[in-house]
Amino acid sequence: MSEAINVAEIFGEDVFNDTVMLERLPKKVYKDLKKTIEEGKELDLATADVIAHEMNEWAIEKGATHYTHWFQPLTGVTAEKHDSFISAPLDNGKVLMSFSGKELIKGEPDASSFPSGGLRATFEARGYTAWDCTSPAFVRHDAGGATLCIPTAFCSYTGEALDQKTPLLRSMEVISEQALRLVRLFGNTTAKKVTPSVGAEQEYFLVDAEKFRLRKDLIYTGRTLFGAMPPKGQELDDHYFGTIRQRIAGFMKDTNEELWRVGVTAKTQHNEVAPAQHELAPIYAPANIAVDHNHLVMQTLKRVAGRHGMKCLLHEKPFAGVNGSGKHDNWSITTDDGRNLLEPGKTPHENIQFLLVLTCILKAVDEHADLLRESAADPGNDHRLGANEAPPAIISVFLGEQLEDVLQQLISTGEATHSLKGGKLETGVRTLPDLAKDATDRNRTSPFAFTGNKFEFRMVGSRDSVAGPNVVINTIVAEAFSEACDILEKADDFEMAVHDLIKQYAIEHHRIVFNGNGYAQAWVEEAARRGLPNISSMVEAIPALTTEKSVSMFERFNVFTRAELESRAEIKYENYSKAINIEARTMIDMASKQIIPAVIRYTKSLADTVVAVKEAGADMSVQAGLLTEVSGLLAETKKALEALILAADKASDMEEGKQQAEYCHSDVVPAMEALRKPVDELEMIVDKEAWPMPSYGDLIFEV
């Protein structure tokens, strides 16, 4: 049995949090920092020097030897450059350890070496990291020792955002400003700030590290490019919420402890639907902190898995034929005086502020469905969205029976007079209590679902940062709030005006509401009749970033400039092409060097067997038939391989950008699928001992 721990004692022990600051900082410095955090007041260098000194002393006490500005460039992962606390040698042969306010506030990594989409040329190297003081610094312990990590934003020399965090912070300011306008209309004079809160549920797979190392596709791409389904998959649903195996339980225990120490509120853990798939969910946090925490979750999952002899797979679709992995982005907005603007109360039909917020969100999602879809677009998600495991590629909003009924009342009669009640859930067993039943069921097939007092955006891929989706949600909702306030602030009769506006938005944007089965083909046809976009791939989604509608909105609220949006579109086209190229080249490598040679050796063994059996005078029809079948599939494999080589070479010769990405999607991906088909058929025939890599059964059932 492992040693018991006290979660309350270890939680946040490696975080330079409010408790630590209150203990260590002079009162004036503490107050100035809190004003910066809460009100956006600029921090002067003298105050920063004091904070840096205390942070340095605290980190050294934790064993830290280095510090790093921890930021989120447009690579999809975090980045860091480590500097030691050594500042100068002393005459006595010792060294001075220090950390200045300037070093705390600003760093200078090489901007040209990160994706910039043309914002930075190779010779324009200067970029800056700026301390995000609203997200607390922490000490990370790993094989390299202890490092003080300072969450930062990353901008170019000319001020453009080169990261995920800068636009997220901008969008948080925007929605706070517009939401304050809205609550002021309803008489709230005490709130000074409205904060979007996020809880990012993280799905992942675990496989044995030794088996992982025998799969080049997993090593290079994070997913299996070949692989036949084992006799059993997930059809029995026995893995979902099943008993957690001891090896996995040990991994989860260590993961939780590491996360708790750096202040991540790891709350829920369980087996997911697919074999070897699991989930970890935290408690809500302000959006920028939630984004930082989710990156910590992903990094910790990978690091701890390695210590347990496993590999953590965060690809959206590591195995064909079983569920892929997503990341459910739970979003709500709360005032600093404690009001959740998405809390409907017991009688939603009477909660006018909630109904305005709700219909504004319907308007936002309906008008910017393409942009919201784009925020969840990546090459891995192309394999996942629309399958019977994840939301379809069509954006719709699930409200549930209670709110749908209220909406229908508004649409049909102009007013809502009642709300459906939940009633009691009778178990029919005397020893079990009757349960209070919610007024609304949930819908796991919906991409954007109202779940009580929040919206759950279920499209996000498991590897992706939740920063992008939350930038979009914050900004489109802020725009809807702004447009509503522009009307209501000028109204002579506020009550009549807000009533009319809620009804108008409900009527105009009801087409986005869908409570049914999002997996059904009937919904695809119905969505087309409603005029809702069905954007099935990343390449088709990217143009939404640079439409005049998107550019106008983002520039109006100073979240993105046109140049920043165009650069992000360019980066995404390049990333798609590069991802497909790596996958194609990996398939070519595996087929050429592993699979075809292994099958040739197997056919020789079969041929030798045919000859031996024939010479013995016995019936060799089975062996001969098998030889013919394998040889036919081998020839099909070779032909498909040659076609993929031609397609991949043509793609590589094209100039990077939209045209190359479109060609990869239209020609290279189908060529990859054509190669996989005969190979997977061969795996079902060829002797397991002769097959050159672990099978799906080995990977997902033997961990």
Side-chain angles (χ1 to χ4, degrees):
M1 294 291 289
S2 58
E3 184 180 345
I5 62 160
N6 186 320
V7 178
E9 287 182 1
I10 70 167
F11 188 84
E13 69 178 16
D14 290 330
V15 183
F16 196 73
N17 54 28
D18 193 69
T19 301
V20 176
M21 292 189 293
L22 191 58
E23 289 175 353
R24 304 187 74 116
L25 297 179
K27 286 184 179 179
K28 183 181 182 306
V29 171
Y30 173 78
K31 287 181 180 178
D32 287 346
L33 179 57
K34 291 295 285 185
K35 279 188 177 180
T36 299
I37 293 171
E38 294 169 4
E39 302 173 18
K41 176 180 174 288
E42 189 170 343
L43 198 67
D44 64 85
L45 192 57
T47 302
D49 276 332
V50 176
I51 297 167
H53 174 76
E54 291 302 325
M55 192 182 290
N56 174 38
E57 294 292 311
W58 170 82
I60 289 173
E61 290 172 15
K62 294 284 181 182
T65 56
H66 290 70
Y67 70 91
T68 182
H69 276 200
W70 188 66
F71 60 104
Q72 300 161 24
L74 299 174
T75 56
V77 294
T78 58
E80 52 196 67
K81 179 184 73 171
H82 295 197
D83 288 295
S84 75
F85 289 119
I86 294 175
S87 61
L90 299 175
D91 293 339
N92 61 3
K94 302 291 185 180
V95 291
L96 180 65
M97 305 284 279
S98 67
F99 181 50
S100 69
K102 184 179 179 181
E103 290 169 318
L104 169 63
I105 290 173
K106 187 179 80 171
E108 190 180 330
D110 189 341
S112 65
S113 297
F114 290 104
S116 72
L119 289 176
R120 300 264 79 196
T122 303
F123 63 87
E124 295 173 316
R126 196 179 294 276
Y128 298 114
T129 50
W131 178 33
D132 174 17
C133 62
T134 63
S135 183
F138 58 93
V139 169
R140 184 184 64 211
H141 298 271
D142 56 25
T147 305
L148 172 64
C149 298
I150 303 160
T152 54
F154 178 43
C155 299
S156 73
Y157 180 72
T158 47
E160 295 98 346
L162 296 175
D163 67 340
Q164 302 273 21
K165 175 164 280 193
T166 302
L168 177 64
L169 293 172
R170 293 171 182 169
S171 75
M172 291 174 69
E173 290 184 3
V174 167
I175 196 167
S176 178
E177 179 183 344
Q178 300 305 322
L180 280 175
R181 288 178 66 192
L182 188 145
V183 299
R184 292 284 187 265
L185 290 169
F186 289 89
N188 185 330
T189 59
T190 58
K192 297 179 181 178
K193 184 178 182 182
V194 180
T195 302
S197 296
V198 171
E201 303 169 30
Q202 179 70 54
E203 295 176 341
Y204 60 95
F205 279 82
L206 291 172
V207 298
D208 185 82
E210 290 186 8
K211 295 182 176 68
F212 172 92
R213 284 190 282 269
L214 297 173
R215 298 277 319 207
K216 288 186 178 181
D217 46 5
L218 286 179
I219 292 171
Y220 294 134
T221 74
R223 77 178 181 103
T224 53
L225 302 171
F226 301 103
M229 276 296 294
K232 178 188 176 186
Q234 63 187 49
E235 59 270 25
L236 293 180
D237 299 321
D238 53 338
H239 189 259
Y240 189 52
F241 279 26
T243 301
I244 298 170
R245 285 168 286 180
Q246 290 301 290
R247 185 181 186 187
I248 307 302
F251 156 82
M252 288 179 170
K253 174 184 177 295
D254 288 353
T255 298
N256 286 333
E257 289 181 20
E258 285 207 12
L259 291 173
W260 290 332
R261 285 189 165 91
V262 291
V264 178
T265 53
K267 172 73 172 175
T268 303
Q269 60 190 31
H270 62 84
N271 291 345
E272 256 298 335
V273 175
Q277 188 185 32
H278 312 278
E279 182 177 298
L280 184 153
I283 298 172
Y284 293 80
N288 63 314
I289 296 176
V291 169
D292 288 351
H293 282 182
N294 185 247
H295 278 291
L296 278 172
V297 166
M298 291 190 284
Q299 292 170 0
T300 304
L301 288 171
K302 289 183 176 182
R303 188 170 62 247
V304 175
R307 295 206 304 264
H308 284 259
M310 295 183 288
K311 287 287 183 178
C312 176
L313 307 181
L314 293 175
H315 194 282
E316 288 73 25
K317 193 72 171 178
F319 302 102
V322 298
N323 277 17
S325 295
K327 186 177 294 179
H328 301 166
D329 184 87
N330 294 279
W331 179 90
S332 62
I333 39 177
T334 309
T335 64
D336 57 357
D337 59 357
R339 290 289 304 277
N340 181 349
L341 301 188
L342 287 174
E343 179 57 64
K346 294 182 179 180
T347 53
H349 67 284
E350 297 176 336
N351 190 339
I352 304 303
Q353 179 180 290
F354 167 76
L355 290 176
L356 178 61
V357 169
L358 179 69
T359 52
C360 280
I361 291 173
L362 294 182
K363 169 181 160 67
V365 174
D366 187 22
E367 292 182 346
H368 295 285
D370 58 342
L371 195 58
L372 191 58
R373 165 67 180 91
E374 193 286 326
S375 74
D378 72 23
N381 243 1
D382 282 3
H383 301 284
R384 172 179 163 262
L385 295 180
N388 283 354
E389 59 180 271
I394 304 163
I395 294 286
S396 65
V397 177
F398 169 80
L399 293 181
E401 296 89 342
Q402 185 186 58
L403 294 184
E404 170 67 359
D405 178 68
V406 170
L407 219 60
Q408 288 291 357
Q409 292 177 60
L410 289 168
I411 291 169
S412 59
T413 69
E415 60 178 341
T417 59
H418 64 273
S419 298
L420 298 177
K421 302 297 181 183
K424 292 239 177 177
L425 179 65
E426 297 181 1
T427 61
V429 180
R430 291 181 183 177
T431 55
L432 296 179
D434 290 338
L435 305 174
K437 186 167 71 171
D438 291 326
T440 292
D441 199 353
R442 290 195 175 185
N443 187 333
R444 67 182 298 172
T445 72
S446 174
F448 201 78
F450 185 75
T451 54
N453 59 4
K454 59 185 172 60
F455 276 98
E456 182 180 28
F457 185 39
R458 298 172 57 90
M459 270 188 165
V460 187
S462 53
R463 289 177 299 177
D464 289 346
S465 169
V466 290
N470 284 294
V471 169
V472 170
I473 296 171
N474 291 344
T475 310
I476 65 176
V477 173
E479 180 190 54
F481 286 172
S482 174
E483 292 175 357
C485 291
D486 287 346
I487 295 169
L488 297 175
E489 287 168 350
K490 299 173 185 174
D492 295 326
D493 185 338
F494 172 74
E495 289 190 9
M496 181 61 70
V498 72
H499 174 88
D500 290 345
L501 194 61
I502 291 170
K503 180 184 176 182
Q504 177 189 333
Y505 285 175
I507 293 171
E508 291 178 354
H509 303 289
H510 188 253
R511 68 171 188 164
I512 201 72
V513 177
F514 178 65
N515 289 340
N517 181 7
Y519 294 165
Q521 179 60 31
W523 166 234
V524 177
E525 297 163 4
E526 170 64 20
R529 284 193 292 271
R530 295 187 187 189
L532 300 179
N534 185 356
I535 304 171
S536 61
S537 73
M538 177 179 177
V539 172
E540 295 169 273
I542 295 171
L545 279 174
T546 52
T547 63
E548 285 304 313
K549 179 176 67 173
S550 296
V551 173
S552 174
M553 176 188 66
F554 282 125
E555 287 199 326
R556 174 188 170 192
F557 292 110
N558 298 314
V559 174
F560 285 119
T561 63
R562 181 183 294 272
E564 287 172 335
L565 288 167
E566 289 174 347
S567 73
R568 276 162 167 73
E570 184 177 325
I571 289 168
K572 291 198 171 193
Y573 283 126
E574 290 177 6
N575 284 348
Y576 181 85
S577 298
K578 288 173 181 176
I580 299 303
N581 178 64
I582 292 169
E583 289 188 349
R585 296 297 176 189
T586 301
M587 289 189 85
I588 292 166
D589 187 81
M590 293 174 70
S592 301
K593 297 178 182 178
Q594 291 183 285
I595 295 166
I596 289 177
V599 176
I600 289 173
R601 288 192 294 271
Y602 181 64
T603 55
K604 181 181 183 304
S605 173
L606 278 176
D608 291 343
T609 302
V610 169
V611 171
V613 172
K614 185 177 181 181
E615 289 177 351
D619 179 7
M620 48 73 178
S621 60
V622 172
Q623 293 89 334
L626 191 57
L627 177 59
T628 300
E629 184 180 5
V630 172
S631 296
L633 288 169
L634 181 60
E636 189 180 336
T637 299
K638 186 66 167 65
K639 183 179 178 181
L641 173 62
E642 291 169 351
L644 178 58
I645 291 171
L646 288 174
D649 286 346
K650 183 176 178 179
S652 297
D653 291 338
M654 298 173 76
E655 185 177 349
E656 289 184 346
K658 181 179 181 181
Q659 185 179 358
Q660 184 189 48
E662 289 174 339
Y663 178 79
C664 285
H665 177 60
S666 63
D667 290 68
V668 178
V669 170
M672 291 166 59
E673 293 169 351
L675 175 57
R676 177 169 187 157
K677 182 178 179 296
V679 171
D680 287 358
E681 290 181 32
L682 281 168
E683 186 182 350
M684 298 299 292
I685 301 170
V686 173
D687 185 345
K688 181 173 174 58
E689 297 301 318
W691 199 249
M693 64 197 73
S695 68
Y696 271 23
D698 299 330
L699 289 164
I700 64 178
F701 286 105
E702 297 180 15
V703 62

